[in-house]
């Protein structure tokens, strides 16, 4: 019985040793490559649009846009959002959520409001589904979600 138990323990140890990579080999080497000055104030969710290499930081009265290639900082005046500015792939559209219950669709290329939709109480986070091409906006205070076709 003890031999079987010892054999099982050795087998388990060997399995763990071969499936768990060493921490030193996997340690990421993070470093700050640049600092970019943006307007003072807080923000909630920052999002990155890989197609345009832009970072969107909603700031309440506007959205700060950082071009990751050039480090240029600009503002989207129609991008008033308390929580998130979510880029819609393949378009210049953004979904912006506002604490007062509005879900805004804005055209970032034209700095223009396309639509203001009534959301639930305190629309907060949002996610884009590439399969259905729909956006799901989670309403923090009402505990539900809105499903939006952004096009």
């Amino acid at each position: 019985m003890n031999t079987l138990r010892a054999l099982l323990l050795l087998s388990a140890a060997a399995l763990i040793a071969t499936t768990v990579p060493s921490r030193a080999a996997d340690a990421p080497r993070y470093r700050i490559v640049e600092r970019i000055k943006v307007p003072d104030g807080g923000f909630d969710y920052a999002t990155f649009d890989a197609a345009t290499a832009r970072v969107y930081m909603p700031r309440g009265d506007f959205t700060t846009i950082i071009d990751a290639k050039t480090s240029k900082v600009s503002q989207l005046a129609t991008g008033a959002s308390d929580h998130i500015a979510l880029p819609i792939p393949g378009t210049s559209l953004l979904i912006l959520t506002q604490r007062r219950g509005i879900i805004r669709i804005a055209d970032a290329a034209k700095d223009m409001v396309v639509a203001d939709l009534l959301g639930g109480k305190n629309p907060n986070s949002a996610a884009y589904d590439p399969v259905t091409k729909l956006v799901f906006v989670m309403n923090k205070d009402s505990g539900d979600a809105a499903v939006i076709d952004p096009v």
Side-chain angles (χ1 to χ4, degrees):
M1 193 74 134
N2 285 338
T3 305
L4 179 59
R5 184 172 180 208
L7 184 59
L8 288 173
L9 286 174
L10 282 174
S11 297
L15 180 63
I16 290 171
T18 58
T19 59
V20 177
S22 72
R23 294 178 68 71
D26 290 338
R29 296 179 186 229
Y30 297 114
R31 63 186 175 91
I32 296 172
V33 294
E34 183 178 3
R35 294 182 189 271
I36 301 169
K37 178 73 175 146
V38 296
D40 289 338
F43 66 94
D44 203 345
Y45 298 103
T47 56
F48 179 69
D49 183 1
T52 62
R54 291 185 175 158
V55 176
Y56 294 93
M57 296 172 60
R59 312 292 291 226
D61 294 335
F62 58 90
T63 293
T64 296
I65 302 171
I66 303 169
D67 186 315
K69 292 178 184 173
T70 65
S71 301
K72 181 183 173 198
V73 177
S74 59
Q75 292 181 359
L76 183 65
T78 58
S81 175
D82 296 313
H83 298 296
I84 193 167
L86 179 72
I88 305 303
T91 74
S92 59
L93 299 178
L94 294 173
I95 298 292
L96 303 139
T97 59
Q98 300 175 349
R99 187 170 282 122
R100 60 189 173 93
I102 301 296
I103 301 166
R104 174 169 286 174
I105 302 175
D107 187 324
K110 298 177 183 173
D111 198 355
M112 179 179 86
V113 175
V114 174
D116 279 339
L117 308 171
L118 188 58
K121 291 183 182 176
N122 194 3
N124 193 306
S125 60
Y128 176 77
D129 176 33
V131 174
T132 62
K133 300 188 181 346
L134 297 174
V135 175
F136 296 84
V137 177
M138 281 48 80
N139 299 300
K140 181 178 177 183
D141 294 341
S142 56
D144 56 6
V147 181
I148 299 168
D149 181 345
V151 178

